[in-house]
Amino acid sequence: MKIIVGITGGIAAYKTPALVRLLVKAGHEVRCAATEHALQFVTRPTLETVSQHPLYCDLFEGNGTRTEHISLKDWADMIVVAPASANIIGKVASGIADDALSTLLLAMSGKRVVMCPAMNSEMWAHPAVQRNVATLLSWGIEMVGPADGHLACGTSGTGRMVEPEEIAEAVCGTLPLTGKRWLVTAGPTYERIDSVRFIGNYSSGKMGFALAEALAEAGAEVELVTGPTALKVQHQRIHRTDVESAREMYTAATGLFPTCHGAILSAAVADYRPSECADHKLKKQGDEGMTIQLVQNPDILATLGGMKKEGQRLVGFALETDNEVQNAERKLQRKNLDHIVLNSLRDKGAGFGVDTNKVTIIARDGSHTDSPLLSKKDIARLIVNTVTS
Ligand code: PMT
């Protein structure tokens, strides 16, 4: 992995060279980016020696193009800021970019960002810092620490930077799905009637994109096959394939599944499509009305159920309006699934379009996990934890 280690002004910065050394020893390529205040606590030659790269500290030095922060961001897989002061946490939460490190951090959206806070315990407890930390967490920025213990200011409490060994472990050691590949389907499908009309549905893709994010956050490489949606992919471990129709989704998903450890199919796939698609705009034909003949689409989930090899996990969704649990259990058996996620359209705030969901996750052994109404991001984390454990 290519890792940027960011360093801000705090006494714990004296431990950062040990972190850099551990990461380099573990086979990672490391570059350091420091604030000017950090260099009051750790020296440039030390950081350059342990990382074996020039230090990035000044927005206007470097390759001469004055966009070094962008080159560095493109180069890196992730950044870990250790120690992360209250100041840098506040700047990132407020979108402030007024030096090399804060500008780099603003450019890192879409990449993994880990903060290792270190400060006096009263500063850590301050509502402004807590609010800023909550903001960063809500954006998917990870917090490692702070730890409890003796602080440099002579007091004890929460605020110590986590030890370099623990940071190295959190950064690159043990994400639960590292090395795994998962397939996710998301969004609606559009089934063309003519050159300007289609049969579609109200799926926004939010649930499927949240699942892809949750899998990627857990370390997996994710193949996201999505129907038409305006959503954007946030994580660099998500590889996106855009499709329009059920048949295109079928081709993409069946092609990718054999190389995946598991699949979660959350797309709202049209069961039927017009038997013919006119290559021009159909004209109104008198007052008699119009009949469109429909033919069945392939069932992607059932096909993957038939292809499933030992060790592969397959998770489907069931969108039901009545006899919900019974219907979902039948789908789980018929399509050879390991889990099925039941979405009842009777639950307020759940289902199409909204940012929240409420589900029942049913396992093959018959056990049920009922969720409260949560954000789709939290539902996605719950599903990922349940189906991958
Ligand atoms: O996208 P959002 O706006 O966030 O909304 C999320 C959602 C409501 C679409 C999602 O949570 C959901 O419930 N998805 C499943 C919708 C659905 O089509 O359910 P179903 O019961 O008709 O299908 C059962 C399963 O078979 C699903 O996993 C579906 O992806 C799959 N299927 C269905 C038909 C088909 N031809 N091929 C399939 O793979």
Side-chain angles (χ1 to χ4, degrees):
M1 242 191 328
K2 293 178 172 130
I3 303 173
I4 301 169
V5 175
I7 309 121
T8 65
I11 182 67
Y14 83 90
K15 294 183 185 172
T16 309
L19 170 64
V20 174
R21 215 184 253 291
L22 284 169
L23 295 173
V24 170
K25 230 172 128 184
H28 303 289
E29 205 178 328
V30 179
R31 296 186 181 199
C32 293
T35 62
E36 272 183 32
H37 289 156
L39 299 185
Q40 300 288 328
F41 299 95
V42 60
T43 67
R44 177 186 281 270
T46 306
L47 293 169
E48 294 191 336
T49 304
V50 288
S51 68
Q52 291 158 23
H53 283 290
L55 176 72
Y56 178 58
C57 186
D58 182 340
L59 266 174
F60 300 106
E61 71 181 9
N63 60 12
T65 62
R66 299 189 177 183
T67 54
E68 178 87 331
H69 57 295
I70 302 298
S71 323
L72 209 47
K73 178 274 292 191
D74 288 341
W75 170 85
D77 294 307
M78 63 167 298
I79 183 166
V80 51
V81 184
S85 62
N87 189 41
I88 198 74
I89 290 170
K91 280 190 195 176
V92 175
S94 314
I96 293 172
D98 64 355
D99 64 9
L101 182 60
S102 54
T103 306
L104 175 62
L105 279 161
L106 209 58
M108 291 294 290
S109 64
K111 303 236 172 167
R112 188 172 171 217
V113 179
V114 179
M115 294 271 187
C116 307
M119 65 196 77
N120 164 273
S121 50
E122 262 141 33
M123 290 170 72
W124 173 250
H126 193 285
V129 174
Q130 288 303 303
R131 180 201 58 204
N132 292 337
V133 167
T135 301
L136 300 199
L137 286 172
S138 76
W139 294 339
I141 291 178
E142 296 165 51
M143 293 284 156
V144 177
D148 288 353
H150 183 72
L151 301 171
C153 51
T155 59
S156 287
T158 306
R160 274 175 73 86
M161 187 173 87
V162 166
E163 290 305 312
E165 291 75 12
E166 269 182 72
I167 298 174
E169 180 73 0
V171 163
C172 53
T174 51
L175 281 177
L177 298 183
T178 298
K180 305 275 188 238
R181 213 162 110 93
W182 276 72
L183 168 68
V184 174
T185 65
T189 62
Y190 288 179
E191 309 299 326
R192 287 188 186 206
I193 297 169
D194 63 15
S195 59
V196 296
R197 302 180 183 95
F198 58 84
I199 298 172
N201 61 65
Y202 292 114
S203 171
S204 61
K206 286 178 184 171
M207 191 64 247
F209 275 58
L211 284 161
E213 293 276 334
L215 286 161
E217 272 172 20
E221 294 293 327
V222 182
E223 295 294 343
L224 173 63
V225 178
T226 178
T229 168
L231 297 180
K232 295 214 163 30
V233 158
Q234 300 293 346
H235 204 291
Q236 56 161 6
R237 275 197 290 273
I238 302 176
H239 316 288
R240 173 177 182 159
T241 305
D242 286 283
V243 297
E244 185 178 287
S245 66
R247 282 185 297 172
E248 286 171 13
M249 190 172 275
Y250 174 90
T251 304
T254 51
L256 290 163
F257 186 57
T259 59
C260 291
H261 295 89
I264 307 179
L265 272 57
S266 69
V269 184
D271 289 321
Y272 294 91
R273 68 177 184 277
S275 58
E276 283 172 29
C277 166
D279 59 5
H280 56 278
K281 184 179 171 207
L282 291 171
K283 291 268 176 249
K284 217 190 274 178
Q285 295 169 354
D287 296 330
E288 307 94 62
M290 182 192 228
T291 303
I292 298 174
Q293 173 89 30
L294 299 177
V295 293
Q296 210 166 9
N297 272 326
D299 189 317
I300 305 164
L301 186 58
T303 306
L304 299 193
M307 292 166 67
K308 193 170 72 164
K309 297 264 182 303
E310 210 180 313
Q312 277 185 312
R313 302 258 178 113
L314 185 57
V315 182
F317 268 67
L319 187 61
E320 303 290 343
T321 50
D322 43 31
N323 288 334
E324 291 103 323
V325 172
Q326 250 183 336
N327 285 338
E329 282 175 344
R330 255 190 239 130
K331 273 184 193 166
L332 179 140
Q333 292 301 336
R334 200 173 66 238
K335 301 192 184 190
N336 191 23
L337 311 181
D338 299 286
H339 289 87
I340 193 152
V341 181
L342 169 61
N343 242 166
S344 169
L345 279 182
R346 289 205 254 189
D347 288 324
K348 279 218 165 67
F352 287 124
V354 288
D355 290 326
T356 49
N357 211 354
K358 181 173 185 302
V359 298
T360 300
I361 306 169
I362 304 172
R364 205 178 173 80
D365 66 9
S367 60
H368 288 200
T369 308
D370 288 312
S371 81
L373 187 71
L374 295 169
S375 70
K376 280 185 175 162
K377 282 192 170 175
D378 285 337
I379 290 285
R381 290 189 188 115
L382 177 71
I383 294 170
V384 167
N385 281 341
T386 309
V387 307
T388 60
S389 58

